[in-house]
Amino acid sequence: MKKIVGAFATAAMLSVSANAALAEKWDMPLAYAATNYHSENAAEFAKCVTDKTGGKLEIVTHPGGSLFGGNDIKRAVMTGQANIGERLISAHANENPIYGVDSIPFLATSFDDSEKLWRAAGDKVQAALDADNLVYVYAVPWPPQGLYAKNEVNSVADLKGVKFRAYNSATARIAELAGMVPVQIEAAELSQALATGVAEAFVSSGSTGYDRKVWEQLKYFYDVQAWLPRNVVFVNKDAWSALEPDAQGAVMDCGQEAAARGLAKAKELTDFYIKGLAENGMTTAAPSDTLKSELQAFGKTMTDEWLAQAGDAGKAVIDAYNQ
Ligand code: PCA
């Protein structure tokens, strides 16, 4: 009897360890706050994959830059330090201009146009990621980008010498064109940068201003609607290749759902965020005609610069978008 129980126990233990060997856990670094809709959406995506694979592939999100800061997430996933991650892709436009296609000022300024642009750029973005040892899963836009400032801004002259928080090369270039002083800061460090005077203005969506409670330092939000940048979720290619086909299918299915859900959330929350800024004492307004036309002139310069950098591939994307 004892022997039989022992044999059963051994068999049970073996099957447990066999399952354990099959089951995989992937850590998913996220740069933005746990309560931000991108992070909540990623947590739902992770649960979807875990459920669909019956726990064979468990994905665990780490929001707020807690596992890797925003600036380190892409490299971490490229090198397999994490198997999956989410990153503001335009922050990598210095590596490949195609990553900056979503941040060309005044090219695509509405959700619909931003979707159209992303469809036009899709193959090229995926190819760029592939060359970086990454597999594209899904992307979700931020709401349209506006200008945050401490003091009233009626024209670009009012921005001269201001310390400006940049999050990618497009925002840094705007700072340069406007005679501001750019400093690259992740959203997770934004509140502190404003509180200590390291930054006094920035371009972002209502979402990030709301998340970071920037009304504690800044008083003005101009709803410029300059572009809609994206967070992209990607997987390390070697980790991807090692997955069973059904797990790969689960990741892509859940990714497609996440793209649609995230887009709907972004649209739904756009006004809520701007109202939130106003309710907390900020002046929220459209930019003056002067400011708008000056920023549009920067947009023209930056479109030409982007096209010069991105060559034929870039031109093909813009042509497809304009069709
Ligand atoms: N929020 C992010 C990127 C764009 C946005 O709306 C940020 O400010 O870091």
Side-chain angles (χ1 to χ4, degrees), residues 295-323:
L295 292 175
Q296 276 168 341
F298 292 170
K300 170 84 183 62
T301 304
M302 290 170 64
T303 305
D304 293 346
E305 289 172 351
W306 188 84
L307 280 167
Q309 283 168 6
D312 291 344
K315 189 175 176 308
V317 171
I318 304 300
D319 288 347
Y321 167 69
N322 281 328
Q323 256 171 26

Side-chain angles (χ1 to χ4, degrees), residues 54-74:
K56 268 209 290 185
L57 175 58
E58 183 191 1
I59 299 183
V60 180
T61 58
H62 299 271
S66 56
L67 189 58
F68 291 99
N71 208 25
D72 298 320
I73 289 175
K74 180 165 173 280

Side-chain angles (χ1 to χ4, degrees), residues 95-155:
E95 299 162 20
N96 187 332
I98 196 69
Y99 291 144
V101 69
D102 62 17
S103 300
I104 301 170
F106 303 107
L107 177 65
T109 61
S110 67
F111 280 105
D112 285 352
D113 284 350
S114 141
E115 285 299 297
K116 197 172 162 207
L117 178 59
W118 199 243
R119 277 196 299 275
D123 290 354
K124 299 207 163 51
V125 173
Q126 290 186 28
L129 290 171
D130 183 74
D132 280 345
N133 200 39
L134 298 170
V135 176
Y136 175 88
V137 182
Y138 72 86
V140 170
W142 289 92
Q145 304 293 290
L147 173 68
Y148 289 87
K150 207 174 215 155
N151 302 314
E152 211 174 316
V153 180
N154 291 311
S155 71

Side-chain angles (χ1 to χ4, degrees), residues 8-312:
F8 272 125
T10 311
M13 273 159 61
L14 276 176
S15 89
V16 165
S17 61
N19 278 337
L22 282 176
E24 266 204 74
K25 181 172 157 253
W26 283 7
D27 290 310
M28 181 174 185
L30 311 172
Y32 295 93
T35 53
N36 179 269
Y37 72 95
H38 287 279
S39 304
E40 288 179 348
N41 193 39
E44 263 191 74
F45 159 79
K47 184 175 181 310
C48 175
V49 173
T50 306
D51 290 351
K52 246 196 175 76
T53 60
K56 268 209 290 185
L57 175 58
E58 183 191 1
I59 299 183
V60 180
T61 58
H62 299 271
S66 56
L67 189 58
F68 291 99
N71 208 25
D72 298 320
I73 289 175
K74 180 165 173 280
R75 176 146 302 277
V77 181
M78 282 166 67
T79 56
Q81 288 174 279
N83 286 334
I84 186 167
E86 178 194 67
R87 174 63 169 149
L88 178 75
I89 200 64
S90 60
H92 297 277
N94 54 338
E95 299 162 20
N96 187 332
I98 196 69
Y99 291 144
V101 69
D102 62 17
S103 300
I104 301 170
F106 303 107
L107 177 65
T109 61
S110 67
F111 280 105
D112 285 352
D113 284 350
S114 141
E115 285 299 297
K116 197 172 162 207
L117 178 59
W118 199 243
R119 277 196 299 275
D123 290 354
K124 299 207 163 51
V125 173
Q126 290 186 28
L129 290 171
D130 183 74
D132 280 345
N133 200 39
L134 298 170
V135 176
Y136 175 88
V137 182
Y138 72 86
V140 170
W142 289 92
Q145 304 293 290
L147 173 68
Y148 289 87
K150 207 174 215 155
N151 302 314
E152 211 174 316
V153 180
N154 291 311
S155 71
V156 162
D158 295 331
L159 291 167
K160 212 166 175 54
V162 163
K163 286 180 254 171
F164 182 82
R165 175 258 177 169
Y167 64 62
N168 65 9
S169 48
T171 48
R173 183 71 180 124
I174 288 178
E176 220 171 63
L177 289 167
M180 296 188 279
V181 185
V183 43
Q184 188 91 13
I185 294 165
E186 289 297 319
E189 273 85 52
L190 180 57
S191 310
Q192 203 191 347
L194 295 171
T196 54
V198 170
E200 314 163 293
F202 63 100
V203 163
S204 189
S205 60
S207 177
T208 293
Y210 182 90
D211 286 348
R212 305 315 341 169
K213 298 187 168 49
V214 302
W215 48 79
E216 287 171 6
Q217 277 83 33
L218 306 182
K219 289 289 158 248
Y220 293 89
F221 175 75
Y222 297 101
D223 193 9
V224 179
Q225 305 184 355
W227 66 84
L228 290 80
R230 279 172 192 259
N231 282 358
V232 173
V233 170
F234 39 64
V235 170
N236 174 278
K237 214 203 285 185
D238 307 309
W240 178 257
S241 306
L243 282 184
E244 303 278 338
D246 60 339
Q248 290 185 343
V251 171
M252 285 304 169
D253 289 351
C254 294
Q256 247 176 30
E257 284 174 28
R261 193 174 52 230
L263 172 63
K265 263 284 167 218
K267 286 183 182 174
E268 177 196 321
L269 289 171
T270 296
D271 289 346
F272 163 87
Y273 288 134
I274 296 179
K275 259 193 216 137
L277 299 177
E279 277 164 17
N280 284 286
M282 292 187 79
T283 300
T284 60
S288 71
D289 290 345
T290 309
L291 179 61
K292 179 129 201 209
S293 66
E294 288 173 327
L295 292 175
Q296 276 168 341
F298 292 170
K300 170 84 183 62
T301 304
M302 290 170 64
T303 305
D304 293 346
E305 289 172 351
W306 188 84
L307 280 167
Q309 283 168 6
D312 291 344

